[in-house]
Amino acid sequence: MSSSAVERSLPSPVAEISEHECRPRPSYIPDESNSQIPPTVVKDISSDRQLLYLYIVGLSTGDVSSIAKKTIGKTHQARWLTLATRIIRLYVSVAYDQLKPVHRAQVDRLVTFICNVYFPVFSAVKHQPGIHMGPVHFYNIVKRIDDYCDDDEKATCHTSLQENCYMIHPENVLLAMLGDDDSFVRSMAVEAIQNIDKYSSKATKSWRIRQFERPLLNFAAPSYYCMVQYSGKIRSKRFLVYKGPAYTGEQVKRPVTRPPLLEGKDIRAFLERPFESEIPCHTQAVERAVATTHGCVKRRKTEKNQMDNLLSTVAARKEPTKRVLKKRYFKDFAHSSSS
């Protein structure tokens, strides 16, 4: 749910909530370990994330008076840390009692989601940012949604996760399996990649460019490496093809390709030690792309106009702005005059 959608669901914009007297509220954190971070780590995290963490801890202890007057940063369309903090502040303030019952129920559900789904997964991504951990984090999101959301919320979340399932692309799943602590899972990944190397030449011969297709997901899967729906089992030859959502009414199928990060590496070495990578599964560039996409969706109604606006926005970043041109002009003019 976007920040504007949350703001529209309440009587006054969440972004404009001021300081209020805080009151104890029921905690929606059944297991405090979900959000516990070592004190040494808390000192090194960003101020926005630290404040949200302190609010969540305050909910579990029933006392947030010591942080109620701290300044909350501006809301951002890609990172909802400050928005989540404002929602919790509203929940523990006297303004909560003035809301209509339907709005209080919405705030209750949002607080439950923030404390038990959003922040724990956000912290896990920050603590283990490697690209091979992406599918594990994605599966963790799914399991937490199943544990803490009702049926309607699950349907909404599953639709969003299916549309944004880039972390659990089959190539990333293979990397995660190679980095798994279970040696049996690593052996399955090695056998699958060997099958790709042996049998995929014919399947991928017609593809000059590696085709990227979001996989069709099974949200009832018992593990992260079972979420992607393949044409066959991982150890079989039919694993070479995975299914994509039928956006146009026809089932899309794409060949599973060998992860480029494994080029030139002996994959059998990962039978002894798990795969590791310093390449992050999530970066600020991704957050910027999310914010840009969100803005284009708000400005345009149809999908075509949204895509055109997105492409023009990205293209405009490569061109110098008038301010930059003016600065360069005066700099060059001053340099030429002095010489």
Side-chain angles (χ1 to χ4, degrees):
M1 180 182 290
S2 66
S3 60
S4 58
V6 175
E7 292 171 8
R8 287 195 300 267
S9 69
L10 300 174
S12 59
V14 176
E16 297 179 3
I17 292 177
S18 59
E19 298 175 5
H20 296 283
E21 179 185 353
C22 294
R23 293 183 176 181
R25 302 288 183 194
S27 175
Y28 289 99
I29 312 176
D31 181 8
E32 295 183 15
S33 64
N34 286 347
S35 303
Q36 288 297 318
I37 302 177
T40 55
V41 177
V42 174
K43 296 180 180 179
D44 297 331
I45 62 180
S46 66
S47 57
D48 290 338
R49 181 181 166 202
Q50 185 179 122
L51 184 58
L52 176 57
Y53 169 72
L54 293 176
Y55 263 103
I56 293 176
V57 172
L59 277 181
S60 63
T61 60
D63 181 19
V64 295
S65 57
S66 60
I67 56 175
K69 294 185 178 181
K70 288 184 176 294
T71 302
I72 302 177
K74 296 181 179 179
T75 56
H76 192 273
Q77 299 294 356
R79 300 178 65 189
W80 293 282
L81 288 172
T82 54
L83 176 63
T85 306
R86 292 174 190 276
I87 292 173
I88 295 180
R89 173 177 284 185
L90 172 63
Y91 175 70
V92 299
S93 69
V94 294
Y96 174 85
D97 299 325
Q98 302 171 2
L99 298 177
K100 296 180 180 179
V102 61
H103 293 140
R104 286 202 297 268
Q106 291 175 348
V107 174
D108 292 347
R109 297 307 303 159
L110 287 171
V111 171
T112 302
F113 187 87
I114 291 168
C115 295
N116 297 295
V117 181
Y118 173 70
F119 188 76
V121 173
F122 178 88
S123 299
V125 173
K126 293 296 183 182
H127 292 163
Q128 296 179 306
I131 190 173
H132 58 290
M133 293 299 298
V136 179
H137 295 319
F138 191 94
Y139 183 71
N140 187 21
I141 295 174
V142 174
K143 298 305 294 181
R144 286 185 173 275
I145 288 173
D146 288 343
D147 292 339
Y148 298 106
C149 295
D150 58 32
D151 292 339
D152 292 337
E153 293 167 348
K154 288 179 185 179
T156 301
C157 292
H158 288 174
T159 301
S160 179
L161 290 174
Q162 179 63 77
E163 291 289 331
N164 300 277
C165 57
Y166 303 101
M167 270 190 180
I168 201 163
H169 187 270
E171 289 185 4
N172 290 355
V173 173
L174 289 174
L175 293 178
M177 293 176 67
L178 289 176
D180 201 292
D181 293 334
D182 190 341
S183 59
F184 176 74
V185 176
R186 297 202 300 273
S187 67
M188 286 197 301
V190 169
E191 186 172 348
I193 295 173
Q194 289 175 339
N195 285 337
I196 291 174
D197 294 340
K198 186 175 181 180
Y199 300 107
S200 66
S201 58
K202 294 182 179 180
T204 60
K205 190 174 182 180
S206 59
W207 303 98
R208 296 183 180 180
I209 302 176
R210 293 167 61 244
Q211 300 287 317
F212 184 89
E213 183 69 46
R214 289 167 294 183
L216 185 63
L217 301 180
N218 174 19
F219 290 101
S223 62
Y224 68 89
Y225 53 83
C226 296
M227 285 198 69
V228 178
Q229 296 190 24
Y230 304 99
S231 295
K233 296 182 179 180
I234 291 181
R235 289 179 176 269
S236 69
K237 299 179 184 179
R238 296 185 64 191
F239 164 75
L240 301 177
V241 177
Y242 70 95
K243 301 177 181 179
Y247 293 114
T248 59
E250 182 179 355
Q251 186 71 58
V252 179
K253 294 185 179 181
R254 291 286 184 265
V256 179
T257 52
R258 180 189 177 105
L261 287 179
L262 300 180
E263 291 298 331
K265 295 184 179 181
D266 181 13
I267 58 175
R268 295 193 61 83
F270 299 119
L271 292 173
E272 303 297 331
R273 54 176 179 81
F275 170 82
E276 293 182 355
S277 176
E278 295 182 355
I279 298 177
C281 63
H282 186 74
T283 63
Q284 289 184 346
V286 174
E287 294 176 353
R288 187 184 186 191
V290 171
T292 303
T293 304
H294 181 83
C296 294
V297 171
K298 289 181 63 178
R299 290 190 294 268
R300 300 292 185 268
K301 293 183 179 181
T302 65
E303 184 176 350
K304 181 181 183 303
N305 291 340
Q306 291 169 359
M307 180 59 68
D308 291 341
N309 185 253
L310 177 61
L311 294 176
S312 62
T313 301
V314 175
R317 291 174 179 168
K318 300 179 181 179
E319 299 294 333
T321 62
K322 292 182 179 180
R323 181 179 299 179
V324 174
L325 290 175
K326 187 176 181 180
K327 184 177 180 180
R328 289 179 181 175
Y329 171 78
F330 282 108
K331 182 178 179 181
D332 294 340
F333 180 78
H335 178 71
S336 61
S337 300
S338 61
S339 60

